[in-house]
Amino acid sequence: MHVGVRAFIGAGFVGVLVAGCVGIGGRPTPRGVPNALHALGTPGDTMSAAANTIGPIALAPSRADVYALGSAGATRVAISEPGYTGTFSTSGTCARTAAIVPKSGRGPVLHALIEGLHAGSCRIVVADAGGHRATLGVTVTSATLALSKGSVASSGRSVAIWLQSVNGAAPPRRFRSQAVSAVRACAGGCAIAGLTALPGVDAYLVRVYDRAAAKGNVLAAGLARIHVRLGRTAFGRSQLGGVVGRLAFSPDGGACAITTACSTSVQLQIMDADGDDIAGSAPYVDAAASPAPVLLTVPNSVTLEDASGAAAPTTISAPTQNLLAAVVYNGMLVVSGPGDLPGGALSVSAASGVATATFGLALRLAPIELNGPAAVLFGPPSQPGYDYSASLDPNSPSASFTVSEAQYDGSFSIAPAFATEPGYEGYCEVPPPEEPSAASFGLSSGSGSAVLSVVAPDPSNSSGLCGARIEDAFGGDNDAVLNVDVQPTATPLDSRAARRVPPLSRPRSGGAVRTPTAR
């Protein structure tokens, strides 16, 4: 028995040695090197790939959590096996849930991307040629956001969505990139799928642009909050508000007399940056989706009305509000100078962000009036350019007139006005005195009133036609000219009243005053 066993062992050992002497493929084996080790360095052999597997296969990370669909949310995985130069292959249960790119590749290290296809969980099995395997667990999470009807303007071309926060904190930087989707027609509502979604309460910023690839003007913006669970598709909805880009009053102005209440019909157009009226019911916002109502600034003595005649709001938060239909002036404004009426108008202004518009209600000032002795003062006649006339002679060589203007409490000033008609050369002087003169004027001005005096020192020796222009603080055309006819002899009242005094020149602001002809 011992002999048989010993003979069996000896035969086996010899058989191994014999086999080892020949070598694989008939090539001699180097002395002292086992046949199995020699096979590692023999490329092209059918057994070399299997023999060239040291194992095990390592995966980094050991599992893949994908938080968005498509290439934008892909997660990187490194497949490695030191010393292995053969091919890695993949299989598993992820055909509908995730894809590995590339599906195969050579060792010792293969870098791959795991792209989400649908929310869920699955396994990817990685194998080498020697039968070693490693399993990668994959979980895909995503979100779909629906945009409500009317959220996207007709000129919108793309929608961009950013993950702003998760449970109130900023997400990791790699999850902050925007998801961009083309929008050709979304007036009836649409949905954007495959968004980045991390487990928890996710907050998103949504913007609509008027150009592709999230470029151009922002037409609408909104926020959305979605509760996300790992491995699920979370659904949310957002109603976008219009971003105000333009404002316009139509018409952009009106006119009223300062002493008379009046109403001017007007419309306020609230538009996006492309000039389209903003529709829908969501509040107006800025590009960050923060509230940006249209604010109306209204001066005293003006109120706003809607189409029903009720008070219109001065803060317009959304398109559904009753809009401005009329600007109403109460006829009670009292002014003292241009500062109370810039540019001669009361301005109603509208603003939202950088968009502004102005409606100007021009107010015609009341005329300057002169009152004095009926025997001396005439007018104002109905003919243009006449204003007031007075006649002085030896019987009435001087007169005083009160100067007034309704709803004006500023001061008055005086300037010379000269005769230009042939046969009426002459002038009256405005202090300081000049000689010779037919008459001289004086003005004592207070708040909202004044006293104008005129004196003919010597009507018998110095007579003629002259004038003075009374102005308020606004200047321009709002003045009153007093024409004075100094007669060398007394004229009966009746004939003096019947005599038409020709008009004098009335130089306006910036106009030249003609020099009188010397008598």
Side-chain angles (χ1 to χ4, degrees), residues 16-112:
V16 171
L17 290 180
V18 170
C21 291
V22 176
I24 299 175
R27 290 188 294 274
T29 301
R31 179 173 297 179
V33 180
N35 180 58
L37 296 180
H38 175 63
L40 293 176
T42 310
D45 295 329
T46 57
M47 296 177 57
S48 60
N52 188 16
T53 55
I54 297 176
I57 299 173
L59 303 176
S62 58
R63 63 171 291 109
D65 289 322
V66 181
Y67 296 108
L69 303 186
S71 59
T75 297
R76 294 181 179 274
V77 174
I79 303 170
S80 63
E81 185 176 352
Y84 176 66
T85 58
T87 299
F88 291 114
S89 61
T90 60
S91 61
T93 62
C94 290
R96 287 181 50 82
T97 306
I100 182 169
V101 181
K103 292 182 178 181
S104 62
R106 297 185 65 85
V109 180
L110 173 63
H111 293 282

Side-chain angles (χ1 to χ4, degrees), residues 22 128 263 278 395 405 438 515:
V22 176
D128 62 14
S263 176
I278 297 176
N395 291 335
E405 180 181 341
T515 304

Side-chain angles (χ1 to χ4, degrees), residues 239-348:
Q239 187 174 31
L240 307 185
V243 176
V244 179
R246 299 182 189 179
L247 295 168
F249 286 101
S250 179
D252 60 3
C256 297
I258 195 171
T259 56
T260 306
C262 71
S263 176
T264 302
S265 297
V266 64
Q267 288 184 334
L268 175 61
Q269 285 184 283
I270 303 175
M271 301 166 283
D272 60 26
D274 288 351
D276 295 325
D277 290 338
I278 297 176
S281 59
Y284 300 118
V285 295
D286 59 18
S290 298
V294 178
L295 302 178
L296 295 174
T297 303
V298 185
N300 294 331
S301 306
V302 168
T303 56
L304 306 179
E305 292 183 354
D306 62 19
S308 68
T314 56
T315 299
I316 304 174
S317 300
T320 53
Q321 284 187 255
N322 293 335
L323 296 182
L324 172 67
V327 173
V328 181
Y329 168 60
N330 64 11
M332 299 175 63
L333 180 66
V334 176
V335 296
S336 60
D340 299 324
L341 203 59
L346 294 174
S347 296
V348 177

Side-chain angles (χ1 to χ4, degrees), residues 57-453:
I57 299 173
L59 303 176
S62 58
R63 63 171 291 109
D65 289 322
V66 181
Y67 296 108
L69 303 186
S71 59
T75 297
R76 294 181 179 274
V77 174
I79 303 170
S80 63
E81 185 176 352
Y84 176 66
T85 58
T87 299
F88 291 114
S89 61
T90 60
S91 61
T93 62
C94 290
R96 287 181 50 82
T97 306
I100 182 169
V101 181
K103 292 182 178 181
S104 62
R106 297 185 65 85
V109 180
L110 173 63
H111 293 282
L113 292 175
I114 310 298
E115 296 183 1
L117 303 178
H118 294 90
S121 298
C122 62
R123 297 187 306 276
I124 295 176
V125 179
V126 181
D128 62 14
H132 295 96
R133 294 172 179 269
T135 300
L136 179 71
V138 178
T139 300
V140 178
T141 306
S142 71
T144 296
L145 183 62
L147 304 183
S148 300
K149 180 179 180 180
S151 291
V152 179
S154 58
S155 56
R157 293 295 177 268
S158 61
V159 175
I161 303 176
W162 291 265
L163 177 61
Q164 295 283 90
S165 66
V166 180
N167 296 327
R173 184 175 299 276
R174 68 189 183 97
F175 296 114
R176 299 180 192 176
S177 61
Q178 64 182 7
V180 179
S181 176
V183 176
R184 295 182 179 178
C186 199
C190 55
I192 311 298
L195 303 178
T196 299
L198 301 179
V201 180
D202 292 4
Y204 297 87
L205 170 64
V206 186
R207 289 177 180 167
V208 177
Y209 292 83
D210 63 357
R211 293 174 57 190
K215 295 181 180 180
N217 298 310
V218 179
L219 304 180
L223 300 174
R225 292 168 61 87
I226 303 178
H227 293 262
V228 178
R229 296 175 61 185
L230 186 66
R232 304 286 184 86
T233 296
F235 294 91
R237 181 175 294 275
S238 179
Q239 187 174 31
L240 307 185
V243 176
V244 179
R246 299 182 189 179
L247 295 168
F249 286 101
S250 179
D252 60 3
C256 297
I258 195 171
T259 56
T260 306
C262 71
S263 176
T264 302
S265 297
V266 64
Q267 288 184 334
L268 175 61
Q269 285 184 283
I270 303 175
M271 301 166 283
D272 60 26
D274 288 351
D276 295 325
D277 290 338
I278 297 176
S281 59
Y284 300 118
V285 295
D286 59 18
S290 298
V294 178
L295 302 178
L296 295 174
T297 303
V298 185
N300 294 331
S301 306
V302 168
T303 56
L304 306 179
E305 292 183 354
D306 62 19
S308 68
T314 56
T315 299
I316 304 174
S317 300
T320 53
Q321 284 187 255
N322 293 335
L323 296 182
L324 172 67
V327 173
V328 181
Y329 168 60
N330 64 11
M332 299 175 63
L333 180 66
V334 176
V335 296
S336 60
D340 299 324
L341 203 59
L346 294 174
S347 296
V348 177
S349 61
S352 177
V354 298
T356 60
T358 300
F359 174 88
L361 183 64
L363 294 184
R364 296 185 298 274
L365 298 174
I368 297 175
E369 297 182 356
L370 301 182
N371 289 282
V376 175
L377 184 65
F378 311 99
S382 59
Q383 294 87 345
Y386 270 80
D387 290 288
Y388 293 86
S389 297
S391 181
L392 299 181
D393 57 34
N395 291 335
S396 53
S398 64
S400 295
F401 311 98
T402 60
V403 181
S404 62
E405 180 181 341
Q407 293 176 210
Y408 172 74
D409 62 359
S411 60
F412 295 94
S413 61
I414 188 172
F418 295 96
T420 58
E421 296 294 324
Y424 287 93
E425 295 94 358
Y427 65 95
C428 298
E429 73 177 66
V430 173
E434 296 180 8
E435 293 294 343
S437 64
S440 56
F441 291 96
L443 182 70
S444 175
S445 180
S447 177
S449 65
V451 175
L452 173 65
S453 60

